[in-house]
Amino acid sequence: MNEQQATKRAEEIIHQAVDGMSPKPKLERIGPAPVGACIARDDGGPDDRLQVRLAYKLTGVPSSEAKSLVRQARDAWVKLGYKFQSSDADWSKPFPHVNMRTEPDDFWMDAITGVVNRATGEGLASIGVTSPCFSSSANDQFTTDSTALHRTQVDEHAAQLALAHSSRIYDALHVRHAPAQEGDGVSAYQQSESAFVHHTWSTLPLTEEEMAQAMARVQTYFEAAGWSVRHVPAATGAPALIARNASDGSVAQVAPSATGAVRVGVTTPVAPEQSVSI
């Protein structure tokens, strides 16, 4: 699998949930380009692996329909034979969420509601899909395609933003930084008309209790700083966090790993006039 194939499949899974909905919502993209470093890189695969994450808000319908849209997404995926990552949502709650995965290709998806007005039960529904990890070398075969990934020069302004976000995440986690692994650090990529800077790093291995405390601290930081936050199922059992900064479009991934370390990736978009391919 390469990025183009992963993106196409992720879009298909989203439309399988959305196209039959009533009332019919519009899809509003959340976040920058969909490709990024694999957030489960220590499960035995090569260190250069990537994965695609697509997320959309469902807009254009009354906010009172958010819960119904999540249920309809669940129903559509169940009919296709997709499996729950955990138990079904508690539909007695005003803001349920569903975590599922496809078989046999193992894409993970979620449908959730965010609170618009807790008193009236109004919310905003969103859907996200995360691909399995795939080798970045697979993309080398598609560099002539307009949607392929191209390495670019690192834009200084975007890199400073990404590093600043990483620094604040490090402070919020409040655990020690691990020595750099192969593929860690700052990199820059061009994808079609979009360019972005990506910074990845990890913590030292933590105990289960330390992991829970660190993830709680970083979620508290994101929410206090105005990032929108969503949970994504992870192979370790503890969910990863995907957070978006509305002011500059940066997206952060903070993921528990099988070794006990926390993997962090920050992706910051580059202004079009600053993007230069090499």
Side-chain angles (χ1 to χ4, degrees):
M1 182 173 62
N2 58 63
E3 180 208 342
Q4 186 178 19
Q5 293 166 331
T7 301
K8 181 178 179 181
R9 175 61 171 145
E11 292 280 10
E12 178 186 36
I13 294 166
I14 289 171
H15 281 280
Q16 286 171 340
V18 172
D19 288 351
M21 287 182 174
S22 179
K24 184 70 173 288
K26 297 179 180 178
L27 294 176
E28 180 181 327
R29 179 75 168 270
I30 302 172
V35 70
C38 178
I39 60 174
R41 285 170 48 199
D42 52 1
D43 63 359
D47 282 344
D48 66 346
R49 289 179 301 155
L50 305 171
Q51 66 184 156
V52 164
R53 169 73 183 173
L54 298 181
Y56 291 93
K57 290 189 290 186
L58 306 184
T59 65
V61 300
S63 55
S64 59
E65 295 290 335
K67 182 175 180 178
S68 172
L69 296 182
V70 170
R71 185 188 290 273
Q72 291 180 63
R74 186 280 310 266
D75 291 346
W77 287 333
V78 167
K79 287 180 180 178
L80 291 167
Y82 300 156
K83 306 300 182 182
F84 288 101
Q85 290 278 44
S86 55
S87 58
D88 193 4
D90 184 350
W91 298 102
S92 65
K93 294 182 177 180
F95 303 103
H97 65 276
V98 173
N99 293 315
M100 299 182 70
R101 62 182 176 85
T102 67
E103 288 189 344
D105 51 1
D106 203 31
F107 281 68
W108 293 5
M109 60 277 201
D110 56 83
I112 64 175
T113 50
V115 179
V116 174
N117 187 321
R118 190 173 295 276
T120 62
E122 295 180 325
L124 177 68
S126 65
I127 286 181
V129 174
T130 302
S131 77
C133 298
F134 54 91
S135 172
S136 62
S137 62
N139 281 318
D140 294 342
Q141 303 172 31
F142 294 86
T143 54
T144 59
D145 192 283
S146 62
T147 62
L149 192 68
H150 303 272
R151 187 176 295 275
T152 71
Q153 295 176 343
V154 174
D155 174 72
E156 183 177 354
H157 177 67
Q160 289 176 347
L161 283 175
L163 289 169
H165 289 316
S166 279
S167 179
R168 296 186 185 103
I169 292 169
Y170 175 73
D171 290 341
L173 286 168
H174 201 59
V175 292
R176 293 182 62 187
H177 193 296
Q181 304 174 38
E182 182 180 354
D184 281 353
V186 176
S187 54
Y189 297 93
Q190 179 82 31
Q191 185 183 35
S192 187
E193 300 298 321
S194 301
F196 50 97
V197 170
H198 192 68
H199 181 230
T200 56
W201 55 279
S202 63
T203 71
L204 290 173
L206 307 175
T207 66
E208 185 175 342
E209 182 179 356
E210 289 170 337
M211 175 76 74
Q213 293 173 348
M215 294 298 290
R217 286 193 295 267
V218 78
Q219 178 169 345
T220 298
Y221 158 71
F222 282 137
E223 293 172 345
W227 294 62
S228 58
V229 183
R230 59 192 293 125
H231 292 85
V232 180
T236 57
L241 298 178
I242 305 291
R244 182 176 185 272
N245 186 300
S247 63
D248 61 27
S250 294
V251 170
Q253 302 176 81
V254 183
S257 67
T259 65
V262 176
R263 290 289 304 165
V264 179
V266 178
T267 304
T268 298
V270 176
E273 64 272 14
Q274 297 173 311
S275 175
V276 181
S277 296
I278 59 175

